[in-house]
Amino acid sequence: MKTIITLAFTVLLFAGCTKQNDTELNAAVGATVEFMGSPQQDGLGWVLMIDGKVEIPTNLPEEFKVQSLAVLVVYKRADRTFPCRCITPPVMIDIISISRVNGG
């Protein structure tokens, strides 16, 4: 009986440890650059809209800070959150590579 309990506990322990790695690189995805207000006035600043979700980059190059600019981006989850007065501050992303769609 002890063996069965130990085995069940071990299986449950390993099942709980199979979380997806948030630091993995994503494949290049289409995104739109948007300005969501000044962070000094509780806005999010320059963000990427990816699949209808707001992603806040840590390192968006100046030349890509253009409203409604279509881009292709490769990114990974950053190890920091956006500084805000949020109950749960959003996790930011690190841009690995970014390019304009159709050279636009």
Side-chain angles (χ1 to χ4, degrees):
M1 184 68 168
K2 245 184 184 180
T3 305
I4 293 173
I5 292 173
T6 303
L7 180 61
F9 178 75
T10 303
V11 168
L12 288 174
L13 179 67
F14 283 113
C17 294
T18 58
K19 181 179 175 239
Q20 180 182 356
N21 186 354
D22 284 340
T23 61
E24 290 178 6
L25 292 180
N26 290 290
V29 295
T32 305
V33 179
E34 301 288 341
F35 185 69
M36 298 197 135
S38 171
Q40 291 79 16
Q41 297 174 341
D42 292 332
L44 297 176
W46 289 99
V47 302
L48 297 175
M49 295 297 296
I50 302 173
D51 293 329
K53 184 176 177 201
V54 174
E55 297 288 357
I56 307 169
T58 62
N59 58 338
L60 181 65
E62 286 296 320
E63 64 266 24
F64 290 93
K65 293 180 179 179
V66 177
Q67 186 68 27
S68 302
L69 179 66
V71 296
L72 285 175
V73 64
V74 176
Y75 67 95
K76 68 176 184 171
R77 295 270 165 231
D79 58 0
R80 66 183 197 167
T81 58
F82 185 74
C84 65
R85 296 180 212 155
C86 311
I87 292 173
T88 306
V91 175
M92 300 178 78
I93 62 170
D94 290 326
I95 295 173
I96 306 304
S97 70
I98 187 169
S99 61
R100 294 174 183 248
V101 173
N102 296 328

